[in-house]
């Protein structure tokens, strides 16, 4: 359950989140069961996901093995493709929003930054939002962008699952943005087995 005080700055995002969650029904996306509000608070009741989040496992294990990373990536992709097919761009894919249910499957949560109305592959928007490590370069540059920004974030999450840190790492947000725009990262090929490394790229 999420609870927010009436008039809080986050209320607008949560109301948008409720509208989006009311439209979706997919095993890889968290389900909204009911929402209501009182004079002081806004509530919404969702699935109870008791397997923890990807952030927890990365913090505990540093990084994940290749098969597990591949499995999670495939399920995240299924969730994103479902959203995109309904004209929704997620815009906040990060380990904190990737939950894992009791069966070990991925469930994406938190649609407060998501945007509707992007119908078609070329539909664009221009709002600047996202989390520094995972935001796409076109968002940083203030350019119009498509739903493809979610795939950029997915690539960042996959890298973090394999190596334990985001590819564009820094303690300073502006330095993170600079690295993203310059595509300044490296891959230690020796740390990845031939199982998922082929001709200089992940497979």
């Amino acid at each position: 359950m999420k609870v927010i005080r009436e008039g809080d700055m986050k209320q607008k995002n949560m109301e948008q989140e409720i509208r989006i969650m009311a439209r979706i029904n997919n095993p890889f996306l968290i389900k909204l069961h009911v929402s209501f509000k009182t004079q002081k608070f806004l509530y919404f009741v969702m699935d109870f996901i008791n397997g923890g989040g990807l952030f927890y496992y990365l913090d505990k294990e540093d990084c994940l093995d290749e098969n597990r990373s591949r499995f999670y990536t495939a399920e995240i992709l299924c969730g994103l493709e479902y959203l995109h097919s309904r004209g929704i761009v997620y815009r906040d894919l990060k380990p904190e929003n990737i939950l894992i249910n009791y069966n070990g499957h991925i469930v994406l949560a938190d649609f407060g930054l998501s945007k509707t109305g992007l119908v078609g592959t070329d539909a664009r928007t221009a709002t600047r939002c996202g989390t520094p490590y995972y935001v796409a370069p076109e968002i940083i540059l203030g350019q119009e962008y498509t739903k493809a920004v979610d795939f950029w974030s997915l690539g960042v999450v996959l890298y973090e699952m394999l190596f334990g840190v985001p590819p564009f790492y820094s303690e300073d947000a502006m330095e993170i943005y600079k690295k993203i725009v310059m595509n300044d990262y490296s891959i230690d090929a020796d740390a990845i087995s031939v199982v998922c490394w082929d001709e200089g790229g992940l497979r």
Side-chain angles (χ1 to χ4, degrees):
M1 176 185 288
K2 275 191 177 181
V3 182
I4 188 168
R5 184 177 293 275
E6 188 77 17
D8 191 290
M9 291 179 64
K10 295 180 180 178
Q11 182 179 345
K12 184 176 180 180
N13 283 350
M14 292 189 70
E15 290 174 347
Q16 166 76 345
E17 187 171 5
I18 289 172
R19 287 192 292 271
I20 289 174
M21 293 176 71
R23 294 176 49 189
I24 59 179
N25 183 20
N26 183 273
F28 303 113
L29 306 175
I30 198 163
K31 182 177 178 59
L32 175 68
H33 293 281
V34 65
S35 64
F36 59 94
K37 63 180 179 178
T38 64
Q39 288 185 337
K40 293 185 177 181
F41 296 99
L42 173 66
Y43 301 83
F44 50 123
V45 181
M46 301 167 289
D47 288 335
F48 175 58
I49 309 298
N50 62 350
L54 182 59
F55 179 83
Y56 167 79
Y57 291 103
L58 288 173
D59 184 59
K60 180 181 178 182
E61 304 174 30
D62 291 331
C63 60
L64 309 181
D65 65 65
E66 294 154 14
N67 288 330
R68 192 171 167 196
S69 298
R70 186 186 296 111
F71 176 74
Y72 287 165
T73 299
E75 294 201 333
I76 294 168
L77 183 59
C78 288
L80 291 177
E81 288 187 335
Y82 177 89
L83 290 173
H84 292 178
S85 71
R86 280 148 181 79
I88 301 168
V89 56
Y90 187 34
R91 299 198 299 192
D92 202 20
L93 185 66
K94 57 184 178 181
E96 291 89 336
N97 290 341
I98 301 169
L99 308 180
I100 300 170
N101 68 18
Y102 67 96
N103 285 323
H105 293 288
I106 286 295
V107 179
L108 300 183
D110 196 342
F111 302 95
L113 294 184
S114 299
K115 182 176 178 63
T116 60
L118 272 72
V119 179
T121 56
D122 293 327
R124 295 175 180 269
T125 187
T127 306
R128 285 189 178 184
C129 61
T131 302
Y133 287 124
Y134 309 96
V135 68
E138 50 265 52
I139 296 178
I140 296 170
L141 294 171
Q143 300 172 350
E144 290 187 337
Y145 55 88
T146 68
K147 297 186 289 287
V149 295
D150 286 338
F151 299 133
W152 172 278
S153 301
L154 177 57
V156 174
V157 170
L158 172 58
Y159 184 105
E160 188 170 359
M161 285 192 284
L162 290 170
F163 295 104
V165 294
F168 309 102
Y169 183 77
S170 174
E171 297 291 336
D172 179 71
M174 295 308 297
E175 184 64 22
I176 295 170
Y177 294 146
K178 180 180 177 181
K179 287 185 175 185
I180 291 172
V181 171
M182 299 298 294
N183 201 28
D184 180 13
Y185 76 101
S186 61
I187 290 179
D188 180 6
D190 293 334
I192 303 179
S193 78
V194 293
V195 172
C196 70
W197 188 259
D198 182 28
E199 296 181 355
L202 291 172
R203 64 179 181 182

